[in-house]
Amino acid sequence: MKLFNPVVAVALLTLVSACKKVDRIEVEPKSVTFTEAGKKELLKPTALTADGQPVEGVKFEFASSDPKVATVDANGAIVAVKSGSASVDVKASEKAAKVAVEVSIPAAITVKGPITLSGLGSTATVDATVQDDAGRTVKDAQMELASADPKIAEVSGMTVTAKGVGTTSLTATSGALRQQVEVTVKLPEVASIAFDDAPANIKVGQSATLKIAAKGADGAAIAGVAPAFTSSNAKIATVDATGTVKALKAGTVTITAKSGDKTADTKIAIKKK
């Protein structure tokens, strides 16, 4: 009766493996990307014969092309150090494989600015990027944009829209990184102003709010222009900063609107009740 001898079996397997010739080395993963210092990835190399059969008992050697970017230990554990590109060479039985290593650690946000918007409703795309500690752009970095005063500048995604005249700040955020940029909203230069459908007369005791149409040199309407209003005779009718005229007594009055060096006049007859 034949008996199974485990010692002999192991010896035979070892002998068979030793007879297998290493043709190539395959490594998983084939490339490694890190976004944080100190992160680790373990390489899993396999020695193969020409027909793709694994060779057991092979001792692998690992070496980093740039230990300042990423180190690798004797077990194939890669550790990120700082941003940069490197590779890890895996060798065994005079065969070698190479694993690409990319380390990109977000370090700062850069935002082009300051930003100036001319005219209410005008928009601009905020040019902001995340850079790693090697000064390279971090691909596919997630970023959020927020406005300190949405009444002046409103944001949606990376687009800012002018809502009111003034200056405020936008804050770009990516993870723990933050960067601010100033945004100023101003109106285009006014080429002309005119009263829009001003009433010809108002009865004593009544009020009417006058509207102004402002245009630029290109003839386009300019929203948000707030001219200064004056009355030629405040005893007949007054006018406030919003253009609201209040009729006090019968007569004729001229209301003047002024924006910069541009003016417009309208005459209003104040009638008795």
Side-chain angles (χ1 to χ4, degrees):
M1 180 177 179
K2 294 182 180 180
L3 298 176
F4 174 75
N5 189 326
V7 175
V8 174
V10 170
L12 288 173
L13 287 173
T14 302
L15 180 60
V16 171
S17 294
C19 292
K20 290 183 178 180
K21 184 178 180 181
V22 176
D23 179 73
R24 65 185 186 277
I25 296 173
E26 292 186 356
V27 187
E28 290 294 335
K30 293 179 175 60
S31 63
V32 180
T33 300
F34 295 105
T35 59
E36 186 178 338
K39 286 294 184 180
K40 183 183 293 186
E41 181 77 32
L42 182 64
L43 298 181
K44 298 177 181 179
T46 303
L48 300 172
T49 62
D51 59 357
Q53 296 300 312
V55 180
E56 303 296 336
V58 176
K59 181 176 177 57
F60 296 97
E61 294 180 355
F62 304 90
S64 171
S65 65
D66 192 346
K68 292 181 179 180
V69 173
T71 62
V72 63
D73 65 15
N75 297 315
I78 305 175
V79 178
V81 178
K82 72 172 186 178
S83 295
S85 298
S87 62
V88 170
D89 290 323
V90 184
K91 296 181 179 180
S93 302
E94 299 183 352
K95 300 298 179 180
K98 194 180 294 290
V99 176
V101 180
E102 190 68 29
V103 182
S104 187
I105 303 167
I109 298 174
T110 60
V111 185
K112 288 187 179 179
I115 299 168
T116 299
L117 297 174
S118 182
L120 301 187
S122 60
T123 64
T125 299
V126 179
D127 188 347
T129 58
V130 177
Q131 293 183 322
D132 63 22
D133 53 6
R136 306 175 307 173
T137 298
V138 178
K139 296 180 180 178
D140 302 321
Q142 298 296 313
M143 194 180 307
E144 294 183 355
L145 196 65
S147 172
D149 190 348
K151 292 182 179 179
I152 294 176
E154 183 179 81
V155 298
S156 176
M158 297 303 289
T159 299
V160 56
T161 301
K163 290 295 182 179
V165 175
T167 298
T168 187
S169 64
L170 305 180
T171 301
T173 304
S174 181
L177 303 176
R178 292 166 59 88
Q179 182 62 50
Q180 288 188 330
V181 64
E182 184 179 273
V183 57
T184 298
V185 177
K186 62 181 183 179
L187 298 179
E189 185 175 348
V190 175
S192 66
I193 61 172
F195 283 94
D196 187 10
D197 293 330
N201 55 76
I202 306 174
K203 290 184 177 181
V204 173
Q206 292 184 336
S207 298
T209 299
L210 305 181
K211 295 181 179 180
I212 285 291
K215 294 183 179 181
D218 59 356
I222 302 174
V225 174
F229 294 95
T230 57
S231 170
S232 63
N233 192 332
K235 293 181 179 180
I236 295 175
T238 60
V239 62
D240 65 16
T242 67
T244 299
V245 178
K246 185 176 182 180
L248 301 178
K249 71 175 185 178
T252 300
V253 67
T254 298
I255 303 298
T256 300
K258 184 176 183 180
S259 178
D261 61 352
K262 302 299 185 291
T263 61
D265 295 322
T266 185
K267 287 186 177 182
I268 300 176
I270 307 302
K271 303 291 187 177
K272 293 181 179 180
K273 290 183 179 180

